[in-house]
Amino acid sequence: MQPTLGVARALLGKTLVRVRGSAITAGRIVEVEAYRGPTDRAAHAAGGRRTPRNEVMWGPAGQLYVYFTYGMHHCANVVTQVEGRPEAVLLRAVEPLVGTTLMRRRRAVRRTVPPWALGRGPGNLCRAFAIDRALNGETLAGPRVFLLDAPPVAPHLVGISERIGIDYAGPDALRPWRFFVKASPAVSGPRRLTTTPRRT
DNA sequence: GACCGGATTGGC
DNA sequence: CCAATCCGGTCC
């Protein structure tokens, strides 16, 4: 089983596809973050916490872990390890490829918002792709959500930084577990690098 | 059962 | 900088 940092890195460039009835949206994953089980204070499974909300994280790899936060946003993760080992990769941004009109309607944004911004940020991504808790535990090989494989993004094109929005995590807030495609306009948050890209 | 704060976002 | 707006986690 590939380590979660490797999965995160490998997810960059792949296409996320969402099918709902006849409606199809798809986008290229350009920003992700790794969250690693009990020892990661930023993770929902920090300290070994196992609750109804994060139960899917404790399950096998290849499922979607979707949670609701700030009273209004959903965040989607890919579970990455075997049962009993709660690690996941948060999908933070995609570049829309298919269904931009539908994404715009779901987002309910003004026409001045450019297409490349429709999947920028974890909450916006979920809204554009109609991902909510109904998809928590959904397999990523299923009819409603799946990934299309793609060659890895070349290391020199990948930025690495601290994860966003986890200041409460103490020293773990500094871990360089965010990966993004440097050239993509759809990347959310700062592009400052804390680490030089390397093999993972 | 109460209380606190969030893996966010957009507007001022 | 800050409000929005529910829910989950924690502790009583």
Side-chain angles (χ1 to χ4, degrees):
Chain A
M1 179 117 340
Q2 198 179 175
T4 298
L5 293 186
V7 176
R9 176 69 184 68
L11 281 171
L12 292 179
K14 297 198 190 314
T15 299
L16 175 69
V17 183
R18 167 78 168 118
V19 178
R20 203 169 62 157
S22 61
I24 298 180
T25 44
R28 179 175 181 246
I29 297 171
V30 294
E31 183 188 357
V32 297
E33 287 176 354
Y35 285 86
R36 303 183 66 188
T39 62
D40 179 3
R41 288 178 61 186
H44 289 169
R49 280 196 303 268
R50 182 169 186 162
T51 67
R53 179 178 68 153
N54 72 9
E55 181 61 27
V56 171
M57 273 190 92
W58 289 83
Q63 296 187 304
L64 218 47
Y65 166 45
V66 183
Y67 65 91
F68 183 67
T69 190
Y70 290 103
M72 61 190 89
H73 302 294
H74 293 273
C75 292
N77 300 253
V78 176
V79 177
T80 59
Q81 298 299 324
V82 294
E83 276 191 72
R85 208 175 143 198
E87 306 194 17
V89 174
L90 171 67
L91 303 177
R92 286 197 59 92
V94 303
E95 278 183 13
L97 293 171
V98 176
T100 53
T101 302
L102 180 54
M103 292 184 203
R104 184 178 298 284
R105 191 155 59 234
R106 288 171 175 164
R107 287 282 315 276
V109 292
R110 288 179 293 202
R111 281 188 297 279
T112 56
V113 174
W116 49 259
L118 293 171
R120 183 174 56 179
N124 291 334
L125 184 162
C126 282
R127 185 95 187 267
F129 279 71
I131 294 173
D132 61 22
R133 279 174 299 179
L135 290 181
N136 188 39
E138 184 88 357
T139 174
L140 268 168
R144 287 178 281 275
V145 196
F146 58 91
L147 296 171
L148 297 181
D149 208 359
V153 176
H156 67 99
L157 301 178
V158 175
I160 303 178
S161 79
E162 311 94 324
R163 295 168 293 178
I164 295 175
I166 53 156
D167 293 343
Y168 56 83
D172 287 335
L174 301 178
R175 295 184 178 278
W177 290 351
R178 170 173 174 254
F179 303 86
F180 56 96
V181 176
K182 286 190 280 190
S184 174
V187 169
S188 70
R191 285 149 192 278
R192 183 173 58 79
L193 307 185
T194 55
T195 308
T196 304
R198 292 183 187 288
R199 285 174 291 124
T200 52

